[in-house]
Amino acid sequence: MPGSTLGLRKAVEPLEWWAGGVFGSLCGVRTSAPHVVLTYDDGPEPGGTDEVLAALEERRATATFFVLMSRARRHPGLLHEVLAAGHEVGLHGLDHRRVTTLTESDVIARARDGRAELEDLIGRSVTWYRPPYGAQSFRTWRAATRAGLVPVLWGPSLLDWLPVTDDERLGSALGDSTRGSVLLAHDGFAGPEDGVDDGPPPDVRRGALTRRLLDAYENSGFTGRSLRDALVDGVPTWRAWFRR
């Protein structure tokens, strides 16, 4: 949304924030609205992203999708479906390789190239960036911000990349969710075609899990919103997040 993008850029400038004596990444939203920020990583993926989109539409929720360019190139139509449904897109990387293993100049180049390619593909600006695995050192954080991106991490997690039950996944998400939390979830699972080998994908029906999650949030008085939508009535909260 061109109008709201300008507002977001005002909310996060300058890119080097000083909060509590540390440089930070966006890890939550301070808001009086009953919003939980929904974020989905590792797509777009047929059989995952489309199922999540259907569940979000049914429950009238919005989300931010952090996409891999290795997948967006293969499934551009699915990426455009995300945008057409009113959701937001951020960059997850050119692929899913852990950026803390790369040089700072490589991280800057990959962040700039990924952002430019994604913006060309979707025809709008990209602000948010989530490093694969949440792996981030001060050096890679600085590289991402120099590429004009805002690192976004998370609080609660849906554990939907692990071989656990849906009840365990929901317990993890709901137990740690509060007003303005950023939830980590996935609409895909990175593999060798994305530069990594993390074993077989988990047995998870992502659409059904999203429906259960949103129903549980509704019962707790929460609604799911994209980061962009949550920031309409809220402000970012920052945290030093450096881990390999």
Side-chain angles (χ1 to χ4, degrees):
M1 304 289 180
S4 59
T5 298
L6 292 175
L8 290 176
R9 289 199 177 278
K10 291 178 181 178
V12 298
E13 288 177 349
L15 289 177
E16 292 185 344
W17 321 267
W18 187 263
V22 294
F23 290 102
S25 299
L26 194 158
C27 289
V29 175
R30 187 167 67 251
T31 179
S32 60
H35 294 158
V36 172
V37 179
L38 303 177
T39 66
Y40 285 87
D41 289 7
D42 294 356
E45 179 177 293
T49 307
D50 46 338
E51 292 293 330
V52 170
L53 288 176
L56 293 172
E57 182 179 12
E58 290 170 13
R59 300 308 192 265
R60 299 183 179 179
T62 59
T64 300
F65 289 79
F66 287 94
V67 305
L68 296 171
M69 294 314 302
S70 53
R71 291 179 169 241
R73 295 178 195 124
R74 298 199 302 274
H75 309 294
L78 193 51
L79 179 60
H80 285 290
E81 287 183 31
V82 171
L83 295 168
H87 305 294
E88 182 181 33
V89 167
L91 178 66
H92 199 24
L94 286 176
D95 53 32
H96 208 273
R97 281 182 286 175
R98 195 179 297 265
V99 295
T100 50
T101 66
L102 306 175
T103 67
E104 184 170 354
S105 60
D106 283 343
V107 178
I108 293 174
R110 288 167 62 86
R112 286 177 174 163
D113 291 349
R115 180 186 181 190
E117 184 178 359
L118 183 55
E119 289 181 338
D120 285 346
L121 185 58
I122 66 176
R124 62 186 74 183
S125 63
V126 173
T127 300
W128 311 126
Y129 168 69
R130 174 168 289 161
Y133 303 106
Q136 181 173 251
S137 64
F138 177 77
R139 176 178 54 83
T140 65
W141 174 90
R142 181 173 58 191
T145 62
R146 286 179 174 175
L149 292 164
V150 178
V152 177
L153 284 306
W154 63 84
S157 169
L158 194 54
L159 302 182
D160 52 356
W161 72 97
L162 296 175
V164 299
T165 67
D166 280 358
D167 286 343
E168 290 174 297
R169 292 174 175 128
L170 292 170
S172 172
L174 297 169
D176 293 331
S177 288
T178 59
R179 192 185 301 263
S181 291
V182 176
L183 175 74
L184 171 66
H186 295 77
D187 58 320
F189 187 80
E193 66 274 22
D194 308 299
V196 297
D197 185 359
D198 292 329
D203 181 15
V204 55
R205 296 174 57 204
R206 300 192 185 278
L209 182 59
T210 297
R211 289 181 183 90
R212 287 190 63 187
L213 173 71
L214 294 176
D215 288 345
Y217 273 150
E218 183 178 3
N219 290 336
S220 299
F222 292 128
T223 56
R225 290 291 178 263
S226 67
L227 184 53
R228 175 195 62 209
D229 291 347
L231 286 172
V232 170
D233 296 310
V235 296
T237 61
W238 310 102
R239 171 185 164 197
W241 178 299
F242 302 119
R243 73 183 194 188
R244 296 187 179 277

